[in-house]
Amino acid sequence: MTDPIQPQFIEHNLNEIADFKGRLVVFVGKAATLDRYGRRVNRLCKGALSKYVTSSAFEKLTKGQCHVLSSPVGLSAQAIIVCKAERRPKVLQARRAGAEIAKAANDSNLMLLAGTNSRSAEIVYGVCLRRYSFNRHKTSDKPAGIKVSVMVMKHEEVEAEYANKAALTEGTFFTRDLINEPANILTTTEFADRLLALKDLGVEVSVLEEADMAKLGMHALLGVGQGSESPSKMVVMRWNGGGKEAPFALVGKGVVFDTGGISIKPAAGMEDMTMDMGGAGVVAGVMKTLALRKAKANVVGLVGLVENMPDAKAQRPGDIVKSMKGDTIEVINTDAEGRLVLADVLWYAQKTYKPTGVINLATLTGAIIIGLGHENAGVFSNDDGLCKKFLKAAKDEDEGAWRMPLGKAYDKLIDSDFADVKNTGGRPAGSITAAQFLQRFIEPEMPWIHLDIAGVAATKKETDFAPKGASGWGVRALDRLIADNYEA
Ligand code: BES
Ligand code: MN
Ligand code: ZN
């Protein structure tokens, strides 16, 4: 696990500034007036700071952007990071400023002179979320762990405010580590073991093995994994922080590697399919977050863990499998495997836990990337109320999410000649027919959302709060959805 920064919130003491050896961070608003920290820094560095903030270069900085003044005279600090931020920034502006500071840190310890900034905890949250790197497999070149001190008024209050965000940072890093991990290491068994470790935090975790799932009739899921040496598993994580009410269910696609199976994928880019367990990774990160912050809600997280491989024993195109629900499925394309896994996990979740609602997450279709790129996840729902709540949570957390349609005409496209349903509907509306397939395994009155996260789970470019690779998309939005709507 990549360890998040543990920021220290320290008492206001201007005398510590002169001797600090890392990078000092000062916050200056667009009026370019220096607060008492800025004035102290400016005096020590013989006016270099005020010279910069009165220049046109500072004027051109946008909100949250940083400028590094290197090797300042009169200070022990290696550099001064000037961050353009007002004293009362908006939440997301504060977080983005924090992320910019993390990038400007350049592996040095930081001291944030936050003073009376009303969003100090949010700024620190931005620093910590962005300061992530997946370096466990590098034998050299490992970026250093850095210390971050935050000099701020009422530092104990700010520290308390930060506690929830520390839980979210840890949950997000758990998700990113799982998604970034290659498939030779994160096998189905290793994945289950990492989830079993959540027991230490008070999460109830149980693992259903292939024999258990066969008894339940989960042949849609089992068919996907039957060509792999790694055993298929379903892991159930329960966090019971609420009262006696039924839980909310989160369901994740956990294909630890997707070769496509017998309908094999082209070689170019196939290595990206290590992230095809992204839905399960997000569910895991949310469960960890809920446990760390002791959320007063009942949530059950279920993940289907399989590997989709070509093999003599692998499932073939044309095979017909029977799902736990009882519906038969014609497997037209073995590469449309995620929906087969989810069909059984969704059905099991509803039958076993009678949840008040279900949200599933999956890196389900390449088509959603064609439609929405890497900016938004596709949101499909049968329930306007739940959908609206989720979209608000995603917006508040700066996680792109865009609602897509469902409808009878799309559903028709997956009627099969020989079974109840087929697993692909051809190229048109590929993401929607995938969602329609899932909806066939949702009970009529069950509030449900399907999130197609193929475009957002991991990216080739850095995003605001993550370096390139796994983003952790969804952990913040889902945690907020639960906090705002399901907690006492
Ligand atoms: N895991 C893929 C979808 C995917 C593509 C995720 C790109 C992330 C990046 C999924 O299992 C898949 O292969 N979907 C097929 C469905 C098709 C065969 C109907 C696809 O999108 O091409
Ligand atoms: Mn596939
Ligand atoms: Zn897949």
Side-chain angles (χ1 to χ4, degrees), residues 178-189:
L178 288 167
I179 294 180
N180 284 328
E181 199 72 278
N184 60 326
I185 293 179
L186 194 77
T187 59
T188 54
T189 303

Side-chain angles (χ1 to χ4, degrees), residues 253 258 265 273 275-276 333 335-339 363-367 369 423-424 426 454-455:
K253 166 181 173 180
D258 181 14
K265 289 182 181 292
M273 287 302 115
M275 53 70 103
D276 208 22
N333 188 319
D335 198 11
E337 85 296 342
R339 62 199 78 181
T363 48
L364 203 63
T365 66
I369 309 176
N423 78 332
T424 67

Side-chain angles (χ1 to χ4, degrees), residues 266-391:
M270 201 201 275
E271 69 280 9
D272 294 341
M273 287 302 115
T274 58
M275 53 70 103
D276 208 22
M277 33 53 66
V282 175
V283 172
V286 175
M287 297 310 293
K288 183 163 188 170
T289 302
L290 296 174
L292 284 170
R293 68 173 184 79
K294 301 198 164 40
K296 292 187 175 56
N298 295 338
V299 180
V300 57
L302 303 98
V303 296
L305 307 179
V306 303
E307 186 180 38
N308 189 19
M309 295 290 268
D311 182 81
K313 293 199 203 99
Q315 163 161 275
R316 293 153 290 254
D319 282 4
I320 294 178
V321 293
K322 191 169 203 146
S323 66
M324 180 184 172
K325 182 186 173 193
D327 290 6
T328 54
I329 304 164
E330 185 185 8
V331 180
I332 299 291
N333 188 319
T334 64
D335 198 11
E337 85 296 342
R339 62 199 78 181
L340 298 172
V341 173
L342 289 173
D344 277 340
V345 183
L346 284 167
W347 195 254
Y348 177 87
Q350 294 167 94
K351 285 293 152 194
T352 312
Y353 298 103
K354 307 267 177 256
T356 55
V358 183
I359 297 182
N360 74 256
L361 297 101
T363 48
L364 203 63
T365 66
I368 202 69
I369 309 176
I370 305 304
L372 299 175
H374 300 286
E375 315 306 322
N376 284 291
V379 181
F380 301 82
S381 183
N382 62 355
D383 187 294
D384 291 348
L386 178 62
C387 191
K388 213 173 142 192
K389 286 175 190 158
F390 177 77
L391 291 171

Side-chain angles (χ1 to χ4, degrees), residues 41-48 69-77 80:
V41 169
N42 190 48
R43 187 152 20 99
L44 289 164
C45 71
K46 307 198 168 26
L69 298 171
S70 297
S71 313
V73 293
L75 288 160
S76 301
I80 303 166

